[in-house]
Amino acid sequence: MRERDDPEVVGRRVQQLRTERGLTQRQLADPAYTPAYISTLEAGRVRASDDALQHIAGRLGVAFEELALGRPAHLATELRLRLTEAQRTLATGEAEEAAAQYAALCAEAEAHGLGCEQATALLGLGECALETGELVRAREYFERAERQLAGLPLPVRVPALRGRAVSHYLAGELRYAVYLLESALDELNRGGLHDPDALLLLYASIIGPYMDMGAHARAAQAAEFALALAPRAGDPALIARMHRSVARTLLAEGRVAEADASLAKAAELYRRLQLRTELANCHWMRGYVYAQDGELERAEAELREAAAMLSTTSAALYNSQVTVELADVLHRRGKSEEAAELLNRVLGDLSSERGAVHAAAAHRLLGIIAEDARDTEAAEEHYVRALSLLERAGAAGDLADLCRMLGDLLRRTGRVEAALDAYRTGLGHRTAPGTTTLGPAPAQPPL
């Protein structure tokens, strides 16, 4: 809460309210104070104590906050209700409308010194920006929210920190995203701050970066912790998000049926919560599961459903990422021409700063399609672009496989030394997935 207004401002406010109500200074003062004290207070020559202002507020029939801060009664409660409405708007996929609501609420909260409500609005603006793919803006909102919450316990600050980490992750800065998330997990667990919602949010968010970096063991452990924490968490949206993230790890371990079951649970929760974008992401992950298990027809149906749902929202970045995975399935089903058309269309929405891993995947697939068409020059160009994107992102597992493909291409075209260089680069990233870029694992929760 902001500090009280200056004595002169409070004095003028008391005098105005007293006059409006037709009270004399004696009537306002009785029985605890004197008319002279009220006169001195109205002139701004004394800073009233909280007890005095509580008495005067009671006599005037207003809230203490309205007298001390000029804040309308119940404003904080009304703002929180409107923040909830903005959250619902965002949950149904209307990110631009939600952003307008959050921006108005942020300005109003700031004007009245409602720091926690302002931070909540900034978090909402950050989530809207993530939804629309404006990653730099999202990061700025999350950083402002962190500054607003500075000094409060870490569990309160976790949503802002997690948002900042996700914005870095989607921009392709995997190592830094993992550093932020692991640091928070370590501090929470070592400090005994075992807040289930905060821990679940962090563990669910770190699975994706771990998987993209090739740190499958850590991803699996994070998934186990998330599953163990889920029954103790109070937020069903968090539980749904966790089920979606965990499915990817289960799949890496070959537990396809369990992965599908986890996604089914997430989808049901999101249906109940009417979170359209998150539900689309569940279809996306189901498509990923089916594709990895060789059920390409079912994978195509799920990914098309996800793309169709995301196209009706402002989630442009997510839509581009789904399209890359759909193109991979189409290519595997012999529909390479349609796949290439989709990839060339979405590459304009992806870059090294915005969806680097999926931009690399798009170039990799275009390289494969070019190789199939005997266009080795175009294939090499796409592989090199993908390699550059993956090196910047630190996606070790994908990078090693790409180096093998590039090496094979170079060897077939007679460039043996260049092929050997590509193979060596790949081996360097494959030696121990994740260990070359990650330090010690964070402390574990007491489960």
Side-chain angles (χ1 to χ4, degrees), residues 121-388:
L122 287 168
L123 285 171
L125 285 167
E127 293 293 343
C128 291
L130 284 181
E131 185 95 348
T132 56
E134 300 170 272
L135 302 181
V136 174
R137 180 173 292 182
R139 187 160 60 247
E140 290 171 353
Y141 284 132
F142 290 126
E143 287 172 350
R144 286 179 59 192
E146 280 191 273
R147 289 195 295 271
Q148 191 68 45
L149 297 170
L152 293 178
L154 179 56
V156 178
R157 294 182 277 117
V158 158
L161 188 150
R162 171 260 172 195
R164 186 156 60 93
V166 170
S167 66
H168 283 289
Y169 167 50
L170 292 176
E173 299 163 13
L174 306 185
R175 281 183 287 252
Y176 189 60
V178 166
Y179 163 75
L180 290 174
L181 296 168
E182 282 194 339
S183 297
L185 283 166
D186 198 57
E187 186 176 345
L188 281 172
N189 289 326
R190 289 187 188 280
L193 302 171
H194 306 301
D195 182 282
D197 283 347
L199 287 170
L200 178 57
L201 184 58
L202 292 169
Y203 279 122
S205 300
I206 206 169
I207 292 172
Y210 275 158
M211 292 292 289
D212 286 343
M213 292 178 71
H216 298 150
R218 289 203 187 179
Q221 186 178 54
E224 293 299 330
F225 289 148
L227 288 168
L229 286 161
R232 296 162 52 190
D235 188 342
L238 280 181
I239 298 171
R241 181 185 294 161
M242 177 274 299
H243 279 300
R244 195 188 76 220
S245 297
V246 163
R248 189 174 177 186
T249 304
L250 293 172
L251 179 65
E253 297 176 339
R255 296 151 67 181
V256 177
E258 291 174 68
D260 195 42
S262 190
L263 290 168
K265 291 175 185 175
E268 181 55 33
L269 283 165
Y270 284 133
R271 283 192 190 93
R272 285 187 231 155
L273 293 166
Q274 295 184 317
L275 300 179
R276 188 170 181 79
T277 298
E278 297 290 356
L279 180 56
N281 288 340
C282 286
H283 284 290
W284 173 7
M285 288 302 297
R286 284 172 71 93
Y288 179 82
V289 168
Y290 291 138
Q292 297 303 308
D293 201 36
E295 298 184 60
L296 299 182
E297 186 174 351
R298 296 178 73 182
E300 180 180 342
E302 291 287 352
L303 291 170
R304 286 194 186 278
E305 177 69 16
M309 293 176 72
L310 289 168
S311 67
T312 65
T313 72
S314 302
L317 179 57
Y318 292 135
N319 194 13
S320 297
Q321 294 173 331
V322 169
T323 301
V324 172
E325 299 199 20
L326 173 59
D328 180 57
V329 170
L330 291 173
H331 168 66
R332 291 165 64 186
R333 297 198 70 197
K335 305 176 184 179
S336 297
E337 189 174 332
E338 183 183 356
E341 183 181 335
L342 287 176
L343 293 169
N344 285 312
R345 188 193 312 161
V346 302
L347 269 175
D349 296 324
L350 299 168
S351 68
S352 59
E353 289 78 29
R354 191 170 181 271
V357 173
H358 280 78
H363 280 296
R364 175 185 179 278
L365 184 52
L366 283 169
I368 292 172
I369 293 171
E371 270 205 87
D372 292 344
R374 302 289 192 271
D375 188 348
T376 55
E377 186 176 339
E380 182 181 349
E381 183 180 343
H382 283 301
Y383 289 154
V384 170
R385 288 187 182 181
L387 190 64
S388 174

